Amino acid sequence: MALVCVVSQIKSSKCEAEIQTLTLKSLLYLERYMYLILFNTYLHLEKRDSWQRSFSDWMLQVAAQAGVYELLNQLGFSEFEDLRDSTLCRLRHRWQQQNRHGLPFRGEFI
């Protein structure tokens, strides 16, 4: 729901700085949602083995092999920007911008 609200704010915004901040916020929401889906998948797949493998190991051994990190490194909204020119599509750049804008990091309560 929050993602939809932020996207609608981007569409109505006139200020370029506000658009950048809202775009970053929406991409971070989308990234969190993807991690939530991945964690749910991990729980279901690893249940039969009593979660012998940690989520971090599962991400490296299973999810990475399926191309998850490539997807996370290409997030974007083609409705608002040319994804080839956007630096916010890149995982590393989003995390760097997140720290500059003072947005909460993963694990911090909002």
Side-chain angles (χ1 to χ4, degrees):
M1 183 63 149
L3 180 60
V4 174
C5 293
V6 174
V7 170
S8 66
Q9 288 176 339
I10 292 171
K11 288 181 179 180
S12 64
S13 181
K14 305 276 188 265
C15 173
E16 185 61 35
E18 183 181 17
I19 290 171
Q20 282 294 98
T21 301
L22 291 170
T23 301
L24 174 62
K25 192 174 185 181
S26 65
L27 289 170
L28 292 172
Y29 280 138
L30 183 58
E31 183 181 328
R32 288 181 193 140
Y33 185 64
M34 288 181 69
Y35 277 112
L36 182 62
I37 292 169
L38 288 165
F39 188 68
N40 185 47
T41 304
Y42 159 77
L43 290 175
H44 287 301
L45 292 177
E46 295 296 310
K47 182 179 182 178
R48 67 176 165 250
D49 295 329
S50 300
W51 298 283
Q52 294 290 320
R53 186 171 21 192
S54 70
F55 180 65
S56 297
D57 290 341
W58 182 85
M59 284 293 292
L60 292 172
Q61 296 168 4
V62 178
Q65 300 301 316
V68 167
Y69 289 114
E70 287 81 8
L71 287 174
L72 287 168
N73 205 33
Q74 297 175 24
L75 284 184
F77 298 102
S78 58
E79 297 86 10
F80 306 119
E81 60 193 346
D82 184 356
L83 299 180
R84 294 169 290 186
D85 297 335
S86 175
T87 55
L88 288 178
C89 291
R90 305 289 176 257
L91 192 60
R92 180 178 184 166
H93 189 75
R94 281 195 305 275
W95 289 355
Q96 289 171 341
Q97 291 300 313
Q98 178 181 359
N99 292 333
R100 287 189 188 132
H101 287 281
L103 296 173
F105 59 90
R106 278 182 281 154
E108 182 176 324
F109 291 105
I110 300 175

